[in-house]
Amino acid sequence: MYITLIFLGIIMATVIVWLLRQTFNTQPWISEAADNEVSGASMDTNTKAVALTVFLAVATSVFALFISAYTIRMEEPDWRPITEPTLLWANTLMLILASIAYHWTRGAAVKGIDSRVKPGLTVAGVLTVLFLIGQLVAWQQLNAAGYYLDLNPANAFFFLLTAVHGLHMLGGLWVWARSTMKVWTGADSDSVRLSIELCTVYWHFLLLVWIVLFGMLLST
Amino acid sequence: MAYVSIADRDHEVEHHDPDTFISKYVWSQDHKVIAIQYGVLAILIGLVGMLLSSAFRLQLGFPDMFEFINPENYYQFVTIHGMIMVIYLLTALFLGGFGNYLIPLQLGSRDMVFPFMNMLSVWVYALSVLILVASFFVPGGATGAGWTLYPPHAISPGTPGTDWGIVLMLLSLAVFIVAFTMGGLNYVTTVLQARCKGMTLMRMPLSVWGIFMATILGLLAFPALLVSAIMMLFDKLLGTSFFMPAMIQAGVATDTVGGSPVLFQHLFWFFGHPEVYIVALPAFGLVSDLLSTHARKNIFGYRMMVWAIIAIGGLSFIVWAHHMYVSGMNPYFGFFFATTTLIIAVPTALKVYNWVLTLWQGNIHLRVPMLFAIAFIFTFTHGGLTGLFLGNVTIDLPLSDTYFVVAHFHMVMGVSPVLVVFGAIYHWYPKMTGRMYNETLGKWHFWLTFLGTYSLYLPMHYLGFLGVPRRYFAMGNTEFMPDSAVTLNASMTISALIIAATQLIFIYNMIWSLKHGEKSGGNPWKSTSLEWQTPDTPPKHGNWGHSLPEVHRWAYDYSVPGQAEDFTPQTVPESEVPVGRDHGVDS
Ligand code: HEM
Ligand SMILES: [Cu+2]
């Protein structure tokens, strides 16, 4: 559970420090006019960005807990490490490229360069789909090699972790599909800018999660 | 940062009034309707939970007299009772119900920031309740593994409901967590981003603070339940052994090896302990507002109250293993967790002192909400003190798994939050309906519930001291069941039945008053917080009519010396406060 604790510790510490900074040095009992200094929003940004940040904290918690469970279960004597298919390296490359593509698209959308948004989005999506297909192929390779899910917890964790990560990826693709449809039916980049910005963050996040998971799977 | 309210910032967001019955009451995106949907659903399933408890109490009080209770369904009743009460009633009611109702109203916003997701949240919650109820009707019935669902027995033959019951239970929890996450994202984001002008964080009523922090805890802790549910589903359906150790069952070795049941316990309690504060923090918040309003005094130590909420939230993540002292842990771990457990009692105790000091020399009006609020101070102190016993490893070892634990958590997590729920429902009923509840019925409801729960749970501590274990269908002729304990068990069952029947008074009162209650007006309690200053009661869609309110002060300006009224609403600017007779608290 240390890993979860460290992650959650960081999240909680951020929350607590932020809240304390908001609340220290205040004298709530003193009344004061509601002028422009006394804002009603805590963050000078879009609400959806705030919601995404909160959601990423939730997802971090999920993955940290899985990783903790992995490290605890690993200690039992029946654990037989698996040899990961080399295909995973290719998949990782796809995901890195997808993230870069999204980043590039984001730059275009922010600057309002419409002509780049359509190809950028498309490439990012295709790369992500390739990643997911690659993961499915990796599953099949493992099965073919006799690493069945129920044979050993190491196998089970491999399938479980990749599945959970893949599902998060699919969720992202749903949002991606919506903005891509918009762009293909002629909407300008401004109408999808926010969605692209948020997706970029989400893709980077899932890339980071994947690298951590992959590293853990490889090294154990 | 120049101020732009959310409503003014997003010009596309217009508040079309829903006009058809369906869009108004069924697929509604209005936070107030969603709150009531959440509340009604939670209370309905809570009544089911209560009926289940009456049934198994019959067996405990009068062993083997009632034939319809056998060991199988006894365990199912106990399990589903616990699960319903903790998750589907209290969590849903405090966050989905009160959170939805109060956050936008007390913060002066028109609605939650993502109304559509909010609507999804309540219907997904309804789905989770449906799956839970359905588990009674599948082959083998609901799971009887105890609300903690410990493997291996939760998924090994011999426990009731290991075929389908447990699968539906885990599924229902997963669905609930999805619903909660959608709601939770809304609550947190709304608190952060959609407050009205002048509503700084430190001017928020404590109700919102409690709900806000509880939501953060939920968002970070429910994943642990989700993770353990998914892994257990794998064990059950796909034959993995995450949690399933090598076992011999009826003389035959199972094909599971090496799994770690203690891993499940870690995951479960990593969720489980924050969960108790997910229920407790909103109760803390609501009760603070009730006490302050009905004692006509500002809450004592507002900032300390806020910081205590924050501190409890942080600490509640590092005490989970006090539920596992008997799992054979390293003694140093035990020491660590005992220490953190006792530390968390400090901010909790601070809150109790502050509630009592709020009452000190207040102008106390013993109306129904106030009765419930004061009763909460008693029951919570009581339950908190037994928590201190259990928090010490050496005292916990003999008491663990006895009725002492059951008594502890019912005082602290059963009775106390439920008293607050009732108090809060009575308190906000006039705002939700525009009518007053019946005061006499309310008082009957209060006294029977309060005295009833004491006569139920106080003797339970004694059973625990005798060593009576929890989760036994029948005690038989054992040493720890002297005659006195048998008689007490019978009397406790009678109390439980009386309490259960008493709740009918409450339901009747709520329904009767909808039509026949006196008209309440917009602010019957002379309250300061924003929800009482709405132009309409009950508030219309969009809450505030044409323009959003502006806030000039905190929510606790009661009996300020030198002012004509004994309360000053948050919307009143300093220049417009009527001056007059001294309203010092002594007057
Ligand atoms: C003063 C603070 C508290 C302390 C020191 C404390 C300590 C403990 C300990 C050590 C146990 C484990 C007993 C055992 O299984 O042997 C326990 C059980 C429990 N506590 Fe507390 N507690 C405190 C407050 C609370 C609060 C505020 C709540 C809920 C609102 C709560 C709810 C529970 C529940 C539900 C259980 C039993 C779970 C189960 O085994 O089924 N406690 N408490
Ligand atoms: Cu605990």
Side-chain angles (χ1 to χ4, degrees), chain A residues 31-32 34 42-43 61 73, chain B residues 192-193 197 220 241 552 574:
Chain A
S31 89
E32 199 181 329
S42 299
M43 253 76 84
S61 175
R73 184 66 181 81
Chain B
L192 289 178
Q193 294 301 94
K197 188 170 173 178
L220 296 177
S241 39
H552 298 264
E574 198 56 27

Side-chain angles (χ1 to χ4, degrees), chain A:
Chain A
M1 300 299 283
Y2 293 119
I3 292 156
T4 315
L5 275 185
I6 291 168
F7 271 105
L8 280 184
I10 295 171
I11 295 176
M12 271 324 271
T14 321
V15 171
I16 290 176
V17 168
W18 186 83
L19 282 177
L20 287 182
R21 278 192 32 197
Q22 301 285 311
T23 55
F24 235 72
N25 269 333
T26 54
Q27 289 172 312
W29 53 89
I30 297 200
S31 89
E32 199 181 329
D35 58 21
N36 287 340
E37 293 304 301
V38 197
S39 160
S42 299
M43 253 76 84
D44 192 10
T45 167
N46 188 285
T47 22
K48 288 193 176 145
V50 178
L52 177 68
T53 314
V54 180
F55 179 75
L56 292 187
V58 178
T60 307
S61 175
V62 171
F63 285 111
L65 282 153
F66 271 123
I67 292 174
S68 277
Y70 185 93
T71 52
I72 294 178
R73 184 66 181 81
M74 203 174 76
E75 302 296 319
E76 306 291 329
D78 65 328
W79 183 275
R80 301 277 170 275
I82 61 177
T83 343
E84 283 76 15
T86 30
L87 176 63
L88 291 185
W89 289 99
N91 294 350
T92 309
L93 185 68
M94 291 298 140
L95 200 57
I96 295 177
L97 291 177
S99 244
I100 294 176
Y102 238 123
H103 204 90
W104 183 78
T105 319
R106 176 184 163 277
V110 169
K111 290 193 207 104
I113 313 174
D114 278 20
S115 59
R116 279 202 212 157
V117 170
K118 207 194 272 186
L121 263 182
T122 315
V123 170
V126 168
L127 286 167
T128 313
V129 172
L130 282 179
F131 165 80
L132 285 175
I133 295 176
Q135 297 287 82
L136 286 177
V137 175
W139 280 9
Q140 273 172 352
Q141 291 180 348
L142 278 178
N143 254 330
Y147 290 113
Y148 303 120
L149 169 95
D150 56 355
L151 213 57
N152 195 270
N155 311 354
F157 264 114
F158 181 88
F159 287 102
L160 180 58
L161 294 176
T162 45
V164 173
H165 180 263
L167 283 176
H168 279 80
M169 223 52 264
L170 274 182
L173 276 179
W174 188 60
V175 182
W176 165 83
R178 286 183 15 161
S179 38
T180 310
M181 293 253 279
K182 266 197 189 165
V183 174
W184 277 91
T185 50
D188 60 352
S189 64
D190 221 36
S191 66
V192 288
R193 201 195 70 219
L194 181 62
S195 156
I196 292 177
E197 283 185 76
L198 297 182
C199 274
T200 307
V201 176
Y202 190 61
W203 254 252
H204 290 348
F205 170 78
L206 283 183
L207 173 63
L208 189 72
V209 169
W210 172 246
I211 288 174
V212 171
L213 289 179
F214 188 37
M216 180 180 78
L217 291 167
L218 275 183
S219 63
T220 54

Side-chain angles (χ1 to χ4, degrees), chain B residues 269 272-274 276-277 316 319-323 341 408:
Chain B
W269 288 115
H273 189 85
V276 309
Y277 282 100
S316 70
V319 299
W320 79 92
H322 64 214
H323 296 273
T341 301
H408 157 68

Side-chain angles (χ1 to χ4, degrees), chain B residues 16 57 135 151 197 256 309 370 373 375 381 392 463 485 500 508 525 580:
Chain B
H16 293 293
R57 252 336 303 178
S135 79
K197 188 170 173 178
T256 55
I309 288 176
M370 186 61 156
T381 308
N392 290 284
L463 293 192
Y508 175 77
W525 312 126

